[in-house]
Amino acid sequence: MSLAMTVEERQDFLAQVHVAIVAVADEEGRAPLAIPLWYDYRPGGEVALITEREGRKTALIRRAGRITLCVQGTVLPYQYVSAEGPVTAIEDTVTVEQRWALASRYLGPEGADAYIESTPGSTERMVRILMRPEHWLTRDYTKVST
């Protein structure tokens, strides 16, 4: 029995709300940078991230042009999806509406309002990064028969 997810299962799982670990190649001699981030994804589409424009992470992503994103369920039996692919765009302009939509995904509308209010001036320092998943690794331990 295969524990791998089908195309539909992996896309549906990635579309659920999880915190992603995003990994990107680092400078020579250092391990890849791996950092937790909020993300958005719709089945069949691209992964969208919003992060600081001037940070080390963004500089590495610009240089590498590829990232890996991994999400895991937190309830037994575990499931995970890892997707790797090219960065298709780095948008240097982010709107408050885009930040609110991403925050709302994780915090709900009231939490998103509070988050945006508590981070004034942040929007101008952000970029939106899009990645097209090309290579997938998945496991779904709910498929194990007992």
Side-chain angles (χ1 to χ4, degrees), residues 26-125:
D26 206 329
E27 293 95 15
E28 188 174 320
R30 293 194 62 181
L33 175 68
I35 193 148
L37 281 176
W38 290 350
Y39 71 96
D40 192 24
Y41 175 76
R42 302 288 183 263
E46 295 181 313
V47 174
L49 311 165
I50 295 177
T51 191
E52 292 279 337
R53 178 182 301 116
E54 300 301 326
R56 179 172 165 244
K57 165 183 41 204
T58 302
L60 291 172
I61 290 170
R62 285 183 194 277
R63 192 188 81 201
R66 299 185 78 78
I67 61 173
T68 297
L69 177 127
C70 184
V71 300
Q72 174 183 316
T74 58
V75 177
L76 288 171
Y78 294 125
Q79 299 170 294
Y80 74 81
V81 168
S82 178
E84 183 263 335
V87 172
T88 60
I90 299 179
E91 301 170 352
D92 287 321
T93 302
V94 173
T95 66
V96 171
E97 292 77 18
Q98 288 171 316
R99 288 187 64 227
W100 186 90
L102 186 58
S104 180
R105 173 174 157 82
Y106 287 86
L107 306 173
E110 289 181 17
D113 289 342
Y115 174 75
I116 295 299
E117 289 173 18
S118 71
T119 56
S122 294
T123 302
E124 296 79 27
R125 298 189 311 268

